[in-house]
């Protein structure tokens, strides 16, 4: 008699070829969709845990003796650890299997969540808060393993959409935790920050159980040696660094602004946001729209090409930053909010279009290899491994953009007591990303 701890009701997969249209129509699409749903659930909870401290800092009032610079550091640390973990998390899928690692990575989320619930009270040392906030970075690693896993499930013609849905569903963890934080602030009050991480403990258990019971380990070669070799090759390819730089501009902006926006409102418009509830009531809107529109970016890239869509988003982000800068100087809160919401929306679209550029690159490489006489199955396996390696590399480097955003705000408010210097830096970064996109992808066309 089987138990719920047995693998699941569906049998293990013995073969997988999503490019075979007959197989895809018969059973592949259904299996891939089921794995996508539970991958999104796990990644969503991971993003929420990763973003936990973007909300918890709003609870930390005068009794915690923290200034704005201290709070920006608290949100920068989990971003940094999440970025570092994305490379080993990518290899873990190849080593252990997508289903197995999704379960493990979900269970690891218990650690930072339980620690936050344990230590959050007045009198806790700043060093303890830094350590616990840093551990929340394990939630950021889930993205890389989830994307590498789902990439292998879908045919090339649907990768932009599938990766966009997977990443967008995960990104929704940012506004979700902010909305839950608003609920706690509005009902229990700022004196009860522990309630927020406690709400996530059963959700983590749900994500782990869903992955264990309903996901699949693909029948692909195991072991991390091939993936590590691919990473070294991808790291020597200028294309990998170019697309990673673009992801710094798109995802780095999304996650960095998502972590910092509530604090920016409280510091820059302190007379309008004198309570945490007022700031939390607005912080979720931008990340929500950016997350929902990430699949749109992937779909647009499927249709028009990732580079064209990405260039348009960077041009729009530069314009949005100019609006934020002008609003900051004029002290106009409505214009400031409009500019920031535009930045979130465009960064979400750019996230989807940039990631589409990764599998498209290695699909072309595989086609040329087959045309030159290479074995089609070997070329496809090589393309999949290179794509997974670059997903990990770009995801890790891109997440460091979130660290840079928080550090830029920290230094700007320390030196000038406003965010103007940071906005000028963002404007310059988007101009550079636009130039890079045109020079590498579009100029020769």
């Amino acid at each position: 008699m089987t138990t719920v701890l047995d693998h699941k009701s569906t049998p293990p997969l013995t073969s997988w070829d999503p490019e075979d249209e007959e197989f895809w129509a018969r059973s592949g699409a259904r299996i891939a969709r089921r794995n996508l749903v539970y991958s999104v659930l796990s990644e969503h909870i991971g993003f929420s845990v990763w973003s936990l401290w973007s909300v918890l800092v709003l609870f930390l009032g005068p009794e915690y003796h923290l200034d704005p610079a201290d709070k920006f550091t608290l949100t920068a640390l989990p971003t940094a650890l999440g970025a570092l973990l994305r490379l080993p998390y990518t290899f873990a899928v190849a080593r252990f299997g997508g289903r197995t690692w999704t379960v493990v990575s979900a269970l690891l989320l218990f650690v930072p969540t339980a620690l936050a619930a344990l230590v959050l009270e007045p009198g806790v040392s700043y060093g303890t808060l830094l350590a616990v906030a840093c551990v929340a970075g394990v939630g950021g690693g889930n993205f890389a393993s989830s994307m590498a896993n789902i990439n292998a499930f879908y045919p090339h013609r649907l990768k932009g959409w599938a990766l966009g849905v997977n990443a967008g569903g995960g990104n929704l963890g940012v506004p979700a935790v902010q909305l839950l934080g608003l609920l706690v602030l509005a009902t229990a009050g700022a004196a009860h920050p522990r309630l927020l991480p406690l709400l996530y403990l059963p959700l983590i258990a749900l994500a782990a159980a869903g992955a264990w019971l309903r996901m699949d380990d693909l029948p692909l070669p195991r072991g991390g040696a091939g993936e590590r070799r691919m990473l070294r090759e991808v790291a020597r390819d200028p294309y990998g660094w170019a697309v990673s730089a673009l992801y710094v501009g798109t995802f780095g902006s999304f996650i960095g602004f998502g972590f910092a926006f509530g604090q920016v409102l409280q510091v820059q418009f302190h007379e309008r946001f004198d309570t945490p509830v007022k700031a939390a009531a607005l912080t979720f809107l931008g990340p929500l729209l950016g997350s929902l529109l990430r699949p749109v970016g992937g779909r647009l890239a499927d249709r028009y090409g990732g580079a064209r869509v990405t260039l348009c988003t960077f041009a729009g982000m530069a314009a949005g930053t100019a609006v934020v800068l002008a609003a900051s100087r004029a002290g106009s809160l409505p214009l400031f909010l409009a500019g920031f919401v535009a930045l979130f929306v465009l960064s979400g679209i750019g996230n989807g279009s940039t990631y589409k550029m990764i599998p498209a690159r290695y699909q072309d490489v595989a086609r040329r290899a087959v045309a030159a006489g290479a074995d089609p199955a070997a070329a496809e396996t090589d393309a999949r491994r290179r794509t997974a390696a670059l997903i990990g590399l770009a995801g890790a480097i891109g997440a460091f953009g979130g660290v840079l955003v928080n550090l830029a705000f920290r230094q700007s408010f320390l030196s000038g007591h406003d965010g103007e210097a940071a906005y000028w830096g963002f404007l310059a970064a988007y101009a550079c990303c636009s130039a890079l996109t045109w020079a590498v992808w579009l100029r020769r066309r």
Side-chain angles (χ1 to χ4, degrees), residues 122-348:
V124 62
S125 70
Y126 184 51
T128 300
L129 291 176
L130 288 174
V132 174
C134 186
V135 176
V138 298
N142 288 30
F143 172 84
S145 55
S146 180
M147 294 290 276
N149 185 42
I150 292 303
N151 174 71
F153 272 96
Y154 277 83
H156 287 293
R157 68 183 184 278
L158 297 177
K159 285 185 187 293
W161 173 83
L163 293 176
V165 169
N166 189 62
N171 291 170
L172 280 170
V174 179
V177 73
Q178 291 171 344
L179 280 170
L180 278 177
L182 174 61
L183 177 64
V184 172
L185 283 168
T187 55
H192 300 282
R194 292 177 170 181
L195 291 178
L196 182 58
L198 287 174
L199 287 173
Y200 270 93
L201 294 177
L203 297 178
I204 294 169
L206 175 65
W212 175 263
L213 295 170
R214 300 297 294 156
M215 290 186 73
D216 299 274
D217 285 326
L218 287 177
L220 300 172
R222 294 290 175 83
E227 276 63 28
R228 288 192 293 271
R229 177 177 59 81
M230 288 298 177
L231 178 62
R232 288 192 295 269
E233 293 184 9
V234 166
R236 290 194 293 265
D237 184 357
Y239 183 94
W241 291 100
V243 78
S244 297
L246 300 187
Y247 205 56
V248 169
T250 57
F251 181 74
S253 296
F254 174 84
I255 198 65
F257 293 151
F259 278 39
F261 189 42
Q263 298 176 74
V264 171
L265 288 177
Q266 280 196 307
V267 177
Q268 191 152 347
F269 295 92
H270 54 86
E271 70 283 355
R272 301 285 297 273
F273 299 97
D274 53 344
T275 66
V277 176
K278 292 179 180 179
L282 291 175
T283 53
F284 74 93
L285 180 60
L288 175 63
L289 293 175
S291 301
L292 290 174
L293 288 173
R294 180 162 183 158
V296 174
R299 182 69 81 181
L300 289 172
D302 284 338
R303 182 170 183 179
Y304 299 108
R308 291 177 180 175
V309 177
T310 301
L311 180 60
C312 291
T313 59
F314 277 127
M317 290 172 73
T321 305
V323 170
V324 168
L325 180 58
S328 178
R329 288 180 168 182
S332 172
L333 178 60
L335 192 60
F336 187 85
L337 291 174
F340 250 109
V341 169
L343 285 173
F344 276 111
V345 167
L346 291 164
S347 66

Side-chain angles (χ1 to χ4, degrees), residues 34-209:
R34 169 164 47 80
N35 279 269
L36 177 62
V37 168
Y38 288 94
S39 174
V40 166
L41 174 62
S42 180
E43 188 189 344
H44 177 93
I45 302 301
F47 259 92
S48 291
V49 172
W50 193 25
S51 308
L52 193 62
W53 284 86
S54 71
V55 182
L56 292 178
V57 293
L58 301 178
F59 287 84
L60 305 182
E63 66 274 16
Y64 286 87
H65 308 291
L66 302 177
D67 61 25
D70 293 332
K71 293 182 180 181
F72 279 119
T73 304
L74 279 173
T75 54
L77 281 178
T79 315
L81 182 62
L84 287 172
L85 289 177
R86 287 186 167 194
L87 287 177
Y89 269 55
T90 301
F91 299 144
V93 171
R95 178 66 179 84
F96 302 106
R99 164 189 173 261
T100 303
W101 185 250
T102 301
V103 174
V104 172
S105 62
L107 293 175
L108 285 173
L109 299 175
F110 277 118
V111 177
T113 311
L115 285 176
L118 181 66
V119 306
L120 276 171
E121 60 180 356
V124 62
S125 70
Y126 184 51
T128 300
L129 291 176
L130 288 174
V132 174
C134 186
V135 176
V138 298
N142 288 30
F143 172 84
S145 55
S146 180
M147 294 290 276
N149 185 42
I150 292 303
N151 174 71
F153 272 96
Y154 277 83
H156 287 293
R157 68 183 184 278
L158 297 177
K159 285 185 187 293
W161 173 83
L163 293 176
V165 169
N166 189 62
N171 291 170
L172 280 170
V174 179
V177 73
Q178 291 171 344
L179 280 170
L180 278 177
L182 174 61
L183 177 64
V184 172
L185 283 168
T187 55
H192 300 282
R194 292 177 170 181
L195 291 178
L196 182 58
L198 287 174
L199 287 173
Y200 270 93
L201 294 177
L203 297 178
I204 294 169
L206 175 65

Side-chain angles (χ1 to χ4, degrees), residues 343-367:
L343 285 173
F344 276 111
V345 167
L346 291 164
S347 66
I349 294 173
N351 286 338
S353 62
T354 301
Y355 250 63
K356 166 63 178 180
M357 296 159 71
I358 297 175
R361 157 78 166 184
Y362 296 114
Q363 180 188 13
D364 290 341
V365 172
R367 284 173 176 169

